[in-house]
Amino acid sequence: MDINALLAAFGGGVMGALLGGLPCFVMTGLIVIAGTIASLAGDASAFAGVAFGSFFGPHVAFCGGAAATAYAARKGLIENGQSLDSTMGTGAADPLIVGGVFGILGYLINFLYSNVLGLPTDTIAMTVVTSGIIARLVFGKTGVFGKYDSGEKRVFLTPGKGLILNLVVGLGIGILVAFLPSALQAAGASADWISGNFQNLMFGIAAFSLVFASMGKASPGFHHIIAPAAGASVMLGPVWGIVFGVVGSLLGDLLGNLYNNGKCDSHIDPPGGAIFIQMFIILALAG
């Protein structure tokens, strides 16, 4: 374990609380895009260290921001504990400290999943979900799966037009990432660069697209669809990219309804859950 990275994670968590979880995630996407482009010219490990490390790593900054928001709502400092763009740059300092503590916690959990247990999945995504559950149990009052009024029906998959929309979105994104690698190779990208960078580039584009959500636009997240589908396309073949595009869209909807519907008072990240579940399966299939 790098003690310097661990200490830096406190600052990364404070940064997440200061800027808000969603803006920090947008920055993650921007840095990932820059890093994958820079990798065409040589070593881009510094970009990955910033995007997925102790500064803007989702397990540090995003989780720090989400935990600080849940804490601030519990203390009555803000109204909505599920808000991902709430900033803690003014007012009390204690939400920033909570963000820093959860930044360190995220670093430690990811180290456990990745370096100690060696779990064959996206351990950062798994850490994001774990941190969200811990924050809800510590600061929330609704339990992991929310509270429902008597007689109120829990929905798992959005029915009707919502289901059709999710299927079309997943199919469309799956088709895109299934055949885009071949198009990139035909345009001059090497097979080695594609195998090493395509999934990260698709993740970065999807994460950065949430800048529009930060601006108040109705911009849906799709990183849980495009990133696993891109990985499946590269590792298993184009058909699997299409399959996991659809799976990712439905799984994200299911987890969103499971964790964040009902009377919930914090955010547990459905895309993170969808990503690490799919990557377990993809890596198992890839052998």
Side-chain angles (χ1 to χ4, degrees), residues 7-263:
L7 293 173
F10 179 85
V14 170
M15 183 66 69
L18 187 67
L19 299 180
L22 182 57
C24 283
F25 189 65
V26 169
M27 288 299 299
T28 300
L30 177 61
I31 297 166
V32 169
I33 293 170
T36 52
I37 293 173
S39 69
L40 291 168
D43 182 21
S45 58
F47 288 89
V50 174
F52 296 119
S54 298
F55 196 162
F56 283 118
H59 59 305
V60 174
F62 177 85
C63 289
T69 298
Y71 170 83
R74 176 67 178 265
K75 291 293 185 178
L77 301 175
I78 60 174
E79 292 185 3
N80 184 6
Q82 288 187 291
S83 174
L84 293 178
D85 54 4
S86 294
T87 62
M88 302 296 155
T90 60
D94 42 332
L96 300 180
I97 297 172
V98 169
V101 170
F102 270 79
I104 289 178
L105 181 64
Y107 181 93
L108 292 173
I109 293 173
N110 185 61
F111 185 85
L112 171 66
Y113 287 162
S114 178
N115 296 75
V116 178
L117 299 179
L119 298 179
T121 186
D122 186 327
T123 58
I124 289 179
M126 192 172 181
T127 300
V128 168
V129 177
T130 305
S131 178
I133 292 173
I134 293 172
R136 181 171 293 178
L137 292 175
V138 173
F139 302 126
K141 300 178 181 179
T142 61
V144 173
F145 302 109
K147 290 184 177 179
Y148 288 79
D149 294 331
S150 179
E152 188 177 1
K153 185 178 180 181
R154 180 186 291 270
V155 174
F156 291 98
L157 284 177
T158 303
K161 292 182 179 180
L163 177 60
I164 296 173
L165 175 64
N166 285 325
L167 288 171
V168 172
V169 168
L171 181 64
I173 291 176
I175 291 173
L176 171 67
V177 299
F179 298 106
L180 186 56
S182 295
L184 292 175
Q185 195 166 357
S190 71
D192 287 342
W193 184 88
I194 291 171
S195 64
N197 294 279
F198 181 64
Q199 183 176 9
N200 275 348
L201 178 60
M202 295 299 101
F203 171 84
I205 291 171
F208 184 66
S209 75
L210 289 171
V211 66
F212 301 110
S214 287
M215 297 164 58
K217 305 293 184 181
S219 179
F222 60 93
H223 49 292
H224 61 293
I225 305 172
I226 200 168
S233 178
V234 171
M235 287 184 264
L236 301 173
V239 173
W240 287 103
I242 298 172
V243 169
F244 278 95
V246 175
V247 169
S249 185
L250 295 178
L251 188 56
D253 180 58
L254 186 151
L255 293 175
N257 289 325
L258 184 65
Y259 288 131
N260 293 331
N261 275 357
K263 294 177 175 61

